[in-house]
């Protein structure tokens, strides 16, 4: 385990970055940007925002000897869901399979290698004009980008496009850093799943998984982006997501943290299109020495926008949760409705939860509320269930599951609670869920809420 | 129809905005150095331990960076202030109103201090720039052993009690402004209520900055000993100058086991005062601390009254109100730190930001490991009555014990047009309707104030709203 002051230069050397540049075939400008990102990684603070200084659970992280250029055999895959775009990130790189009917409908997909072979202009367009990273981990993610793809849904393609994205860790000292650039055309519909697992042979040292997604939606587009995070207990993850909404478009982020050692999630959504809506839903189940550290930023810059962030965590043993939610309503964003809710249930002494739900409101014609709570399991509920024949542990488990299901019921995905239940049950029993190849029970295709014949995207289903 | 900014008249500060000629027995030239700190201590004939404490604090102040997480403080030039200006100099604070110099007496007459003393309070203190000019306590309270004097006198006359508590609740290295206060403090109230004594009627102090560019750094220490009860009340004003003044107080409050202590402040500094205050209380076993904290004035306020709940069953009740208008940034809030079992806290924060004013609620709720059975509730509400205000909420919740019950809620919104419409349909003018709604919003605060303070609050808000609509 690492000492109090990590040796960041031992995590990632300049030589390892150079080796990655060479393997990826970086043009000189991209190689230079990687070098600059690496030197920022060595210098920058973990947490630059003075509002959050002193917070953030990243202790005992030791990523010594990261090898971002490592490669190995491709993992075996379960059968592909019919009609679904499948993308796999593993030791062999990024592989994508797009059904022919989607290709002919105009769905564009280019994987990492194809983008890099397109040359400098393509790479710059892919990575986007990102503002320079101001924190150590974002800089690390930028220095290491070695997987990824771009995906574009054409305008006015009305059928929902399903994407199943898997990241599978399999090598010691692995450093997988994925960047996705996703553009949803006017009126398009995207049902996206991102799942992270690792193969059963878990090496001694810690590994890095970085996942960055940049999403833009055209007018009237609808997106569900479901994340399931369940790698082994030695994986350190950095998630970064950015979204910009078009008019009347809707995005539901839904992220479920179950595996991993240290996980840092940063979601930034800008509600730039009038009438657009972003729902950011997160659940965490932490046990052992796990920690989840999440920031959600919702920035309202246009009128009639709705934003909500709902986070719920259950923490056992020495697990920790940190939730920051920041809603900013700019002066022009009239008629905004914003809601931040961060709730936690602590099941053991030694578990802990910190929450910081921030509102910054520069416009009066808004309705902005937040609520947080931390509470133990209500003994009256336990007693009630015991009186109905449940054992005490079973009663606590049922109550905790119900507590998290509150979040799942607010997503426009049918039967989401049932889809995630097997993973949650395994984690509750202290089991990991390793990637087992062809038999692996990956998520089935998502269906939106509503009835079968008449699907209806019920955002915040429970409330309507 | 909602009111517009241009229609709202500025707050009438005339009642407070008078300036006395600046005649001081002692006035140290502008600027801050170790030498200035030594001079202040020498003027006060302080014991060596206090001088050493001041110098350690000064060194820490110099080395500590400005806080970067809150309002903009970049305009503060620490060398532009006078750190010590005392109207009485070596003379002791007066105990008879008639002994005061005429100009100072006149000032506090205008502010209503002796009147308040006669009518309502058990003791009154008044501070004018750096020096305490008047201190009096009712004889019956003094006979019970209640001490109410200025802190300088306490350092000399009640050394044991002062040394036991001074700097223990707010150490000099707590933050930059606590360090500044610890280095150059002067005046402030010292209250000690002996075990089992109920002080009954409130003790009151009034702080006034009169001279231009003077910093006021009072140091207040309030101790309710075992089972005692006391209510301390303070108000603050300053006249309006074109350049800024600085107020950096430190208030340390101790509620010993089973004591009950209430501390009420209504801050109405003029809109050119930086009000950067550290207020903290400790509540021991079974003790209660109540902060009632109103922030109406100042250019920038940073103030987060805190209660450290250190004994089993201790309770904290914090009620904080902020009203920010043009050019004002009021960054206030509350902190409850639960480090003992079965402790409870309740925080209610209300803020109104109009005419470009900014209010922020910044709060901390901390439940330490071992503090089982904690119950804590926070509610912060904000109103933005016009188009220009800004309201931020920064609550920090750190929960490290599994059986804590914590809730936090906040709502930010405007005044409902249907509420105004309803009141107007009952015959009220629009501005009266808005005023009534604002007073209703602040009712929980107003009803905790003594009646004359509550009337004052009502009048201030009425003035701020008057002329709002035709």
């Amino acid at each position: 385990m690492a000492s109090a002051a990590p040796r960041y230069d031992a995590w990632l050397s300049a030589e390892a970055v150079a080796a990655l540049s060479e393997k990826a075939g970086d043009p000189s400008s991209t190689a230079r940007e990687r070098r600059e990102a690496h030197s920022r990684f060595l210098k920058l603070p973990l947490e630059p925002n003075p509002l959050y200084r002193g917070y953030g659970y990243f202790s005992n992280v030791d990523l010594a000897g990261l090898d971002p250029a490592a490669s190995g055999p491709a993992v075996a895959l379960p059968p592909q869901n019919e009609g679904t775009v499948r993308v796999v990130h593993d030791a062999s790189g990024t592989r994508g399979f797009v059904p022919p009917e989607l290709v002919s409908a105009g769905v564009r997909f280019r994987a990492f290698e194809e983008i890099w072979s397109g040359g400098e202009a393509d790479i710059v367009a892919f990575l986007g004009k990102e503002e320079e990273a101001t924190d150590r981990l974002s800089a690390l993610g930028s220095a290491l980008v070695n997987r990824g793809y771009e995906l574009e849904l054409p305008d006015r393609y009305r059928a929902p496009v399903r994407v199943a994205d898997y990241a599978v860790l399999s090598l010691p000292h692995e450093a997988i850093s994925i960047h996705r650039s996703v553009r949803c055309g006017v009126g398009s519909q995207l049902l996206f799943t991102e799942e992270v697992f690792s193969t059963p042979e878990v090496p001694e040292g810690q590994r890095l998984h970085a996942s960055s997604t940049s999403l833009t939606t055209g007018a009237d587009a609808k997106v569900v982006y479901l994340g399931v995070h369940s790698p082994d207990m030695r994986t350190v993850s950095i998630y970064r997501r950015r979204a910009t909404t078009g008019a009347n478009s809707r995005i539901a982020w839904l992220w479920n943290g179950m595996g991993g050692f240290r996980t840092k999630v940063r979601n930034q959504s800008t509600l730039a299109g009038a009438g657009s809506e972003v729902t950011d839903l997160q659940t965490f189940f932490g046990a052992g020495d796990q920690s989840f550290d999440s920031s959600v930023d919702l920035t309202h810059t246009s009128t009639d926008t709705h934003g909500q962030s709902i986070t719920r965590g259950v923490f056992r043993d020495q697990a920790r949760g940190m939730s920051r939610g920041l809603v900013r309503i700019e002066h022009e964003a009239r008629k905004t409705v914003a809601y931040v809710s961060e709730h936690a249930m602590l099941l053991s002494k030694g578990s802990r939860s910190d929450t910081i739900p921030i509102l910054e409101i520069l416009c009066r014609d808004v309705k902005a509320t937040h609520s947080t709570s931390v509470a133990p399991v209500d003994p009256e509920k336990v007693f009630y269930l015991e009186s109905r024949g449940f054992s005490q542990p079973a009663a606590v488990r049922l109550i905790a599951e119900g507590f998290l299901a509150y979040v799942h019921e607010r997503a426009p995905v049918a039967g989401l609670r049932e889809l995630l239940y097997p993973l949650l049950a395994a984690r509750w029993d202290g089991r990991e869920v390793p990637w087992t190849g062809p038999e692996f029970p990956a998520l089935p295709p998502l269906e939106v809420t509503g009835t079968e014949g008449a699907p209806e995207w019920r955002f915040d289903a429970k409330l309507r | 129809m909602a009111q517009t900014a241009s229609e709202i008249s500025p707050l009438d500060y005339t009642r407070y905005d008078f300036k006395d000629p600046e005649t001081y027995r002692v006035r140290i030239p502008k600027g801050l150095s170790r030498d200035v700190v030594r001079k202040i201590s020498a003027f006060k004939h302080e014991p060596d331990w206090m001088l050493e404490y001041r110098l350690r604090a000064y060194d820490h102040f110099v080395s500590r960076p400005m806080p970067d997480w809150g309002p903009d403080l970049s305009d503060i030039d620490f060398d532009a202030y006078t750190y010590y200006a005392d109207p009485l100099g070596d003379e002791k604070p007066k105990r008879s109103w008639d002994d005061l110099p005429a100009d100072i007496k006149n000032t506090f007459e205008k502010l209503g201090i002796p009147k308040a003393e006669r009518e309502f309070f058990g003791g009154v203190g008044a501070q004018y720039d750096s020096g305490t000019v008047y201190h009096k306590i009712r004889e019956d309270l003094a006979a019970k052993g209640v001490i109410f004097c200025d802190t300088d006198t306490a350092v000399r006359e009640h050394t044991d009690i002062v040394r036991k508590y001074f700097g223990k609740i707010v150490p000099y290295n707590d933050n930059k402004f606590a360090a500044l206060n610890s280095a150059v403090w002067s005046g402030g109230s010292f209250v000690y209520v002996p075990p089992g004594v109920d002080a009954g009627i409130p003790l009151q102090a009034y702080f006034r900055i009169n001279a231009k560019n003077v910093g006021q750094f009072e140091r207040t220490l309030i101790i309710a000993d075992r089972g005692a009860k006391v209510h301390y009340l303070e108000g603050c004003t300053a006249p309006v100058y074109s350049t800024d003044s600085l107020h950096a107080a430190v208030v340390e409050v101790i509620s010993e086991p089973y004591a009950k202590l209430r501390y009420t402040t209504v801050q109405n500094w003029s809109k050119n005062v930086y009000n950067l205050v550290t207020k903290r209380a400790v509540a021991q076993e079974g003790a209660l601390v109540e902060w009632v904290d109103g922030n109406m004035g100042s250019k920038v306020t940073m103030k987060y009254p805190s209660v450290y709940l250190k004994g089993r069953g201790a309770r904290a009740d914090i009620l904080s109100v902020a009203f920010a208008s043009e050019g004002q940034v009021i960054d206030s809030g509350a902190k409850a730190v639960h480090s003992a079992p079965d402790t409870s806290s309740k925080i209610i924060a209300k803020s109104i930001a109009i005419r470009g004013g900014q209010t922020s609620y910044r709060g901390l709720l901390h439940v330490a490991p071992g503090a089982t059975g904690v119950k804590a509730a926070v509610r912060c509400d904000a109103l933005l009555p016009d188009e220009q205000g800004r309201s931020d909420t920064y609550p920090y919740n750190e929960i490290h014990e599994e059986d804590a019950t914590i809730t936090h809620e906040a709502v930010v919104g405007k005044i409902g047009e249907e509420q105004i419409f309803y009141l107007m349909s009952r015959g009220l003018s629009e501005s009266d309707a808005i005023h009534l709604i604002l007073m209703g919003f602040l009712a929980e605060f107003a009803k905790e104030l003594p009646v004359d303070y509550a009337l004052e609050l009502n009048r201030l808000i009425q003035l701020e709203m008057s002329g709002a609509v035709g």
Side-chain angles (χ1 to χ4, degrees), chain A residues 51 55 349 353-355 357 359-361 364 368 370 372 374, chain B residues 385-386 391-399 401 406 408 410 412:
Chain A
L51 290 175
Y55 292 90
K349 279 204 175 305
S353 161
D354 294 350
T355 54
L359 303 175
E360 294 186 340
I361 296 170
R364 74 159 179 152
H370 68 197
T372 70
V374 176
Chain B
D386 65 19
S391 169
D392 300 338
T393 311
Y394 303 97
Y396 294 72
N397 305 302
E398 306 169 359
I399 314 303
E401 186 54 64
I406 305 296
H408 178 115
V412 179

mmCIF file of all heavy atoms in Angstrom, chain A residues 51 55 349 353-355 357 359-361 364 368 370 372 374, chain B residues 385-386 391-399 401 406 408 410 412:
data_model
loop_
_atom_site.group_PDB
_atom_site.id
_atom_site.type_symbol
_atom_site.label_atom_id
_atom_site.label_comp_id
_atom_site.label_asym_id
_atom_site.label_seq_id
_atom_site.Cartn_x
_atom_site.Cartn_y
_atom_site.Cartn_z
ATOM 1 N N LEU A 51 -13.432 25.130 -2.968
ATOM 2 C CA LEU A 51 -14.656 24.713 -2.273
ATOM 3 C C LEU A 51 -14.572 23.273 -1.787
ATOM 4 O O LEU A 51 -15.262 22.881 -0.866
ATOM 5 C CB LEU A 51 -15.857 24.820 -3.221
ATOM 6 C CG LEU A 51 -16.313 26.210 -3.602
ATOM 7 C CD1 LEU A 51 -17.418 26.124 -4.630
ATOM 8 C CD2 LEU A 51 -16.798 26.961 -2.379
ATOM 9 N N TYR A 55 -11.318 17.497 0.809
ATOM 10 C CA TYR A 55 -12.202 16.363 0.596
ATOM 11 C C TYR A 55 -11.623 15.486 -0.499
ATOM 12 O O TYR A 55 -10.725 15.876 -1.212
ATOM 13 C CB TYR A 55 -13.600 16.821 0.193
ATOM 14 C CG TYR A 55 -14.312 17.516 1.311
ATOM 15 C CD1 TYR A 55 -14.202 18.886 1.468
ATOM 16 C CD2 TYR A 55 -15.055 16.796 2.230
ATOM 17 C CE1 TYR A 55 -14.836 19.531 2.506
ATOM 18 C CE2 TYR A 55 -15.696 17.437 3.269
ATOM 19 C CZ TYR A 55 -15.591 18.798 3.404
ATOM 20 O OH TYR A 55 -16.219 19.421 4.430
ATOM 21 N N LYS A 349 -20.088 0.887 11.740
ATOM 22 C CA LYS A 349 -19.151 1.840 12.313
ATOM 23 C C LYS A 349 -17.941 1.831 11.394
ATOM 24 O O LYS A 349 -17.537 0.797 10.923
ATOM 25 C CB LYS A 349 -18.702 1.364 13.688
ATOM 26 C CG LYS A 349 -19.680 1.673 14.754
ATOM 27 C CD LYS A 349 -18.977 1.733 16.106
ATOM 28 C CE LYS A 349 -19.940 2.162 17.183
ATOM 29 N NZ LYS A 349 -20.629 3.424 16.920
ATOM 30 N N SER A 353 -19.819 9.054 5.173
ATOM 31 C CA SER A 353 -20.391 9.706 4.002
ATOM 32 C C SER A 353 -20.280 11.215 4.163
ATOM 33 O O SER A 353 -20.631 11.746 5.209
ATOM 34 C CB SER A 353 -21.868 9.322 3.888
ATOM 35 O OG SER A 353 -22.532 10.248 3.056
ATOM 36 N N ASP A 354 -19.760 11.872 3.171
ATOM 37 C CA ASP A 354 -19.712 13.331 3.156
ATOM 38 C C ASP A 354 -20.539 13.810 1.970
ATOM 39 O O ASP A 354 -20.451 13.241 0.884
ATOM 40 C CB ASP A 354 -18.277 13.850 2.973
ATOM 41 C CG ASP A 354 -17.389 13.523 4.167
ATOM 42 O OD1 ASP A 354 -17.925 13.077 5.190
ATOM 43 O OD2 ASP A 354 -16.172 13.702 4.063
ATOM 44 N N THR A 355 -21.312 14.842 2.192
ATOM 45 C CA THR A 355 -22.097 15.379 1.079
ATOM 46 C C THR A 355 -21.968 16.896 1.036
ATOM 47 O O THR A 355 -21.923 17.539 2.080
ATOM 48 C CB THR A 355 -23.596 15.025 1.219
ATOM 49 O OG1 THR A 355 -24.043 15.456 2.495
ATOM 50 C CG2 THR A 355 -23.839 13.551 1.094
ATOM 51 N N PRO A 357 -23.956 19.554 -1.203
ATOM 52 C CA PRO A 357 -24.870 19.940 -2.288
ATOM 53 C C PRO A 357 -24.919 21.467 -2.424
ATOM 54 O O PRO A 357 -25.500 22.149 -1.596
ATOM 55 C CB PRO A 357 -26.218 19.394 -1.809
ATOM 56 C CG PRO A 357 -26.110 19.395 -0.307
ATOM 57 C CD PRO A 357 -24.652 19.405 0.073
ATOM 58 N N LEU A 359 -25.687 25.145 -4.291
ATOM 59 C CA LEU A 359 -26.518 25.873 -5.259
ATOM 60 C C LEU A 359 -25.889 27.239 -5.492
ATOM 61 O O LEU A 359 -25.537 27.918 -4.534
ATOM 62 C CB LEU A 359 -27.934 26.089 -4.699
ATOM 63 C CG LEU A 359 -28.758 24.878 -4.272
ATOM 64 C CD1 LEU A 359 -30.064 25.343 -3.628
ATOM 65 C CD2 LEU A 359 -29.061 23.995 -5.467
ATOM 66 N N GLU A 360 -25.744 27.624 -6.741
ATOM 67 C CA GLU A 360 -25.303 28.987 -7.068
ATOM 68 C C GLU A 360 -26.352 29.577 -7.993
ATOM 69 O O GLU A 360 -26.488 29.124 -9.131
ATOM 70 C CB GLU A 360 -23.925 28.991 -7.744
ATOM 71 C CG GLU A 360 -22.825 28.523 -6.818
ATOM 72 C CD GLU A 360 -21.428 28.652 -7.413
ATOM 73 O OE1 GLU A 360 -21.300 28.744 -8.649
ATOM 74 O OE2 GLU A 360 -20.477 28.665 -6.635
ATOM 75 N N ILE A 361 -27.068 30.548 -7.482
ATOM 76 C CA ILE A 361 -28.255 30.988 -8.219
ATOM 77 C C ILE A 361 -28.158 32.459 -8.544
ATOM 78 O O ILE A 361 -28.098 33.306 -7.659
ATOM 79 C CB ILE A 361 -29.504 30.641 -7.401
ATOM 80 C CG1 ILE A 361 -29.541 29.121 -7.312
ATOM 81 C CG2 ILE A 361 -30.745 31.193 -8.067
ATOM 82 C CD1 ILE A 361 -30.525 28.586 -6.388
ATOM 83 N N ARG A 364 -33.613 34.869 -10.465
ATOM 84 C CA ARG A 364 -34.593 34.649 -9.414
ATOM 85 C C ARG A 364 -35.768 33.801 -9.858
ATOM 86 O O ARG A 364 -36.463 33.220 -9.057
ATOM 87 C CB ARG A 364 -35.113 35.986 -8.903
ATOM 88 C CG ARG A 364 -36.055 36.655 -9.860
ATOM 89 C CD ARG A 364 -36.894 37.649 -9.125
ATOM 90 N NE ARG A 364 -37.776 38.298 -10.048
ATOM 91 C CZ ARG A 364 -38.947 38.801 -9.700
ATOM 92 N NH1 ARG A 364 -39.343 38.738 -8.461
ATOM 93 N NH2 ARG A 364 -39.698 39.377 -10.594
ATOM 94 N N ALA A 368 -35.236 26.133 -7.081
ATOM 95 C CA ALA A 368 -34.056 25.315 -6.838
ATOM 96 C C ALA A 368 -34.111 24.788 -5.413
ATOM 97 O O ALA A 368 -34.283 25.550 -4.472
ATOM 98 C CB ALA A 368 -32.789 26.137 -7.027
ATOM 99 N N HIS A 370 -32.583 21.588 -2.621
ATOM 100 C CA HIS A 370 -31.772 20.396 -2.426
ATOM 101 C C HIS A 370 -32.093 19.761 -1.087
ATOM 102 O O HIS A 370 -32.630 20.393 -0.198
ATOM 103 C CB HIS A 370 -30.278 20.679 -2.585
ATOM 104 C CG HIS A 370 -29.684 21.529 -1.526
ATOM 105 N ND1 HIS A 370 -28.483 22.146 -1.673
ATOM 106 C CD2 HIS A 370 -30.125 21.859 -0.311
ATOM 107 C CE1 HIS A 370 -28.213 22.816 -0.585
ATOM 108 N NE2 HIS A 370 -29.184 22.674 0.263
ATOM 109 N N THR A 372 -30.361 16.650 1.644
ATOM 110 C CA THR A 372 -29.430 15.561 1.896
ATOM 111 C C THR A 372 -29.832 14.916 3.205
ATOM 112 O O THR A 372 -30.449 15.535 4.056
ATOM 113 C CB THR A 372 -27.975 16.036 2.056
ATOM 114 O OG1 THR A 372 -27.866 16.748 3.288
ATOM 115 C CG2 THR A 372 -27.516 16.893 0.934
ATOM 116 N N VAL A 374 -28.356 11.618 6.015
ATOM 117 C CA VAL A 374 -27.622 10.406 6.320
ATOM 118 C C VAL A 374 -28.367 9.789 7.477
ATOM 119 O O VAL A 374 -28.715 10.484 8.426
ATOM 120 C CB VAL A 374 -26.180 10.718 6.736
ATOM 121 C CG1 VAL A 374 -25.462 9.444 7.140
ATOM 122 C CG2 VAL A 374 -25.444 11.385 5.603
ATOM 123 N N PRO B 385 -36.079 38.579 -4.279
ATOM 124 C CA PRO B 385 -37.282 39.347 -4.628
ATOM 125 C C PRO B 385 -37.182 40.087 -5.955
ATOM 126 O O PRO B 385 -38.192 40.432 -6.530
ATOM 127 C CB PRO B 385 -37.440 40.341 -3.475
ATOM 128 C CG PRO B 385 -36.573 39.823 -2.382
ATOM 129 C CD PRO B 385 -35.464 39.087 -3.056
ATOM 130 N N ASP B 386 -35.974 40.386 -6.454
ATOM 131 C CA ASP B 386 -35.913 41.089 -7.740
ATOM 132 C C ASP B 386 -34.966 40.369 -8.694
ATOM 133 O O ASP B 386 -34.525 39.255 -8.420
ATOM 134 C CB ASP B 386 -35.543 42.570 -7.552
ATOM 135 C CG ASP B 386 -34.139 42.745 -6.996
ATOM 136 O OD1 ASP B 386 -33.339 41.797 -7.104
ATOM 137 O OD2 ASP B 386 -33.851 43.826 -6.456
ATOM 138 N N SER B 391 -27.935 34.115 -4.958
ATOM 139 C CA SER B 391 -27.962 33.342 -3.728
ATOM 140 C C SER B 391 -27.259 32.010 -3.927
ATOM 141 O O SER B 391 -27.593 31.259 -4.843
ATOM 142 C CB SER B 391 -29.416 33.097 -3.338
ATOM 143 O OG SER B 391 -29.453 32.149 -2.303
ATOM 144 N N ASP B 392 -26.265 31.739 -3.098
ATOM 145 C CA ASP B 392 -25.527 30.480 -3.187
ATOM 146 C C ASP B 392 -25.690 29.701 -1.884
ATOM 147 O O ASP B 392 -25.884 30.292 -0.834
ATOM 148 C CB ASP B 392 -24.029 30.735 -3.410
ATOM 149 C CG ASP B 392 -23.768 31.512 -4.693
ATOM 150 O OD1 ASP B 392 -24.635 31.474 -5.574
ATOM 151 O OD2 ASP B 392 -22.711 32.152 -4.801
ATOM 152 N N THR B 393 -25.576 28.416 -1.997
ATOM 153 C CA THR B 393 -25.678 27.555 -0.817
ATOM 154 C C THR B 393 -24.549 26.538 -0.864
ATOM 155 O O THR B 393 -24.418 25.803 -1.840
ATOM 156 C CB THR B 393 -27.027 26.798 -0.827
ATOM 157 O OG1 THR B 393 -28.061 27.737 -1.081
ATOM 158 C CG2 THR B 393 -27.284 26.130 0.489
ATOM 159 N N TYR B 394 -23.718 26.532 0.159
ATOM 160 C CA TYR B 394 -22.584 25.597 0.194
ATOM 161 C C TYR B 394 -22.607 24.797 1.493
ATOM 162 O O TYR B 394 -21.906 25.121 2.439
ATOM 163 C CB TYR B 394 -21.252 26.349 0.121
ATOM 164 C CG TYR B 394 -21.080 27.248 -1.074
ATOM 165 C CD1 TYR B 394 -21.339 28.602 -0.995
ATOM 166 C CD2 TYR B 394 -20.640 26.732 -2.291
ATOM 167 C CE1 TYR B 394 -21.181 29.431 -2.094
ATOM 168 C CE2 TYR B 394 -20.480 27.550 -3.395
ATOM 169 C CZ TYR B 394 -20.753 28.895 -3.295
ATOM 170 O OH TYR B 394 -20.597 29.714 -4.379
ATOM 171 N N PRO B 395 -23.417 23.786 1.571
ATOM 172 C CA PRO B 395 -23.449 23.006 2.815
ATOM 173 C C PRO B 395 -22.479 21.824 2.756
ATOM 174 O O PRO B 395 -22.423 21.110 1.757
ATOM 175 C CB PRO B 395 -24.887 22.498 2.853
ATOM 176 C CG PRO B 395 -25.330 22.490 1.440
ATOM 177 C CD PRO B 395 -24.415 23.329 0.616
ATOM 178 N N TYR B 396 -21.719 21.631 3.797
ATOM 179 C CA TYR B 396 -20.792 20.508 3.871
ATOM 180 C C TYR B 396 -21.278 19.570 4.973
ATOM 181 O O TYR B 396 -21.457 19.998 6.104
ATOM 182 C CB TYR B 396 -19.367 20.990 4.201
ATOM 183 C CG TYR B 396 -18.745 21.834 3.114
ATOM 184 C CD1 TYR B 396 -19.197 23.123 2.880
ATOM 185 C CD2 TYR B 396 -17.736 21.344 2.307
ATOM 186 C CE1 TYR B 396 -18.642 23.893 1.877
ATOM 187 C CE2 TYR B 396 -17.172 22.113 1.298
ATOM 188 C CZ TYR B 396 -17.624 23.388 1.081
ATOM 189 O OH TYR B 396 -17.077 24.153 0.082
ATOM 190 N N ASN B 397 -21.489 18.333 4.616
ATOM 191 C CA ASN B 397 -21.952 17.361 5.602
ATOM 192 C C ASN B 397 -20.934 16.239 5.687
ATOM 193 O O ASN B 397 -20.709 15.542 4.703
ATOM 194 C CB ASN B 397 -23.306 16.779 5.182
ATOM 195 C CG ASN B 397 -24.330 17.875 4.950
ATOM 196 O OD1 ASN B 397 -24.621 18.653 5.830
ATOM 197 N ND2 ASN B 397 -24.846 17.943 3.737
ATOM 198 N N GLU B 398 -20.324 16.062 6.848
ATOM 199 C CA GLU B 398 -19.311 15.014 7.022
ATOM 200 C C GLU B 398 -19.805 14.067 8.108
ATOM 201 O O GLU B 398 -19.784 14.408 9.280
ATOM 202 C CB GLU B 398 -17.978 15.630 7.455
ATOM 203 C CG GLU B 398 -17.509 16.725 6.521
ATOM 204 C CD GLU B 398 -16.328 17.514 7.086
ATOM 205 O OE1 GLU B 398 -15.895 17.219 8.203
ATOM 206 O OE2 GLU B 398 -15.862 18.434 6.399
ATOM 207 N N ILE B 399 -20.235 12.904 7.691
ATOM 208 C CA ILE B 399 -20.882 12.016 8.647
ATOM 209 C C ILE B 399 -20.024 10.766 8.802
ATOM 210 O O ILE B 399 -19.891 9.976 7.871
ATOM 211 C CB ILE B 399 -22.303 11.633 8.164
ATOM 212 C CG1 ILE B 399 -23.056 12.879 7.687
ATOM 213 C CG2 ILE B 399 -23.048 10.893 9.270
ATOM 214 C CD1 ILE B 399 -23.188 13.985 8.694
ATOM 215 N N GLU B 401 -20.289 8.517 11.470
ATOM 216 C CA GLU B 401 -20.829 7.600 12.483
ATOM 217 C C GLU B 401 -22.129 7.064 11.923
ATOM 218 O O GLU B 401 -22.923 7.804 11.352
ATOM 219 C CB GLU B 401 -21.049 8.359 13.789
ATOM 220 C CG GLU B 401 -21.467 7.501 14.959
ATOM 221 C CD GLU B 401 -20.522 6.343 15.207
ATOM 222 O OE1 GLU B 401 -19.338 6.583 15.536
ATOM 223 O OE2 GLU B 401 -20.961 5.181 15.077
ATOM 224 N N ILE B 406 -29.373 12.757 9.972
ATOM 225 C CA ILE B 406 -29.019 14.077 9.459
ATOM 226 C C ILE B 406 -29.986 14.438 8.353
ATOM 227 O O ILE B 406 -30.213 13.632 7.455
ATOM 228 C CB ILE B 406 -27.614 14.046 8.817
ATOM 229 C CG1 ILE B 406 -26.569 13.521 9.787
ATOM 230 C CG2 ILE B 406 -27.222 15.391 8.256
ATOM 231 C CD1 ILE B 406 -26.356 14.380 10.980
ATOM 232 N N HIS B 408 -30.941 17.734 5.627
ATOM 233 C CA HIS B 408 -30.590 19.057 5.134
ATOM 234 C C HIS B 408 -31.539 19.399 3.994
ATOM 235 O O HIS B 408 -31.743 18.601 3.106
ATOM 236 C CB HIS B 408 -29.147 19.064 4.624
ATOM 237 C CG HIS B 408 -28.743 20.385 4.065
ATOM 238 N ND1 HIS B 408 -27.770 21.152 4.626
ATOM 239 C CD2 HIS B 408 -29.223 21.076 3.019
ATOM 240 C CE1 HIS B 408 -27.672 22.280 3.939
ATOM 241 N NE2 HIS B 408 -28.542 22.245 2.958
ATOM 242 N N ALA B 410 -32.812 22.800 1.393
ATOM 243 C CA ALA B 410 -32.695 24.204 1.018
ATOM 244 C C ALA B 410 -33.664 24.496 -0.112
ATOM 245 O O ALA B 410 -33.914 23.655 -0.965
ATOM 246 C CB ALA B 410 -31.285 24.535 0.578
ATOM 247 N N VAL B 412 -34.550 27.763 -2.828
ATOM 248 C CA VAL B 412 -34.296 29.121 -3.300
ATOM 249 C C VAL B 412 -35.428 29.474 -4.244
ATOM 250 O O VAL B 412 -35.781 28.672 -5.103
ATOM 251 C CB VAL B 412 -32.951 29.212 -4.055
ATOM 252 C CG1 VAL B 412 -32.729 30.622 -4.561
ATOM 253 C CG2 VAL B 412 -31.816 28.787 -3.150
#
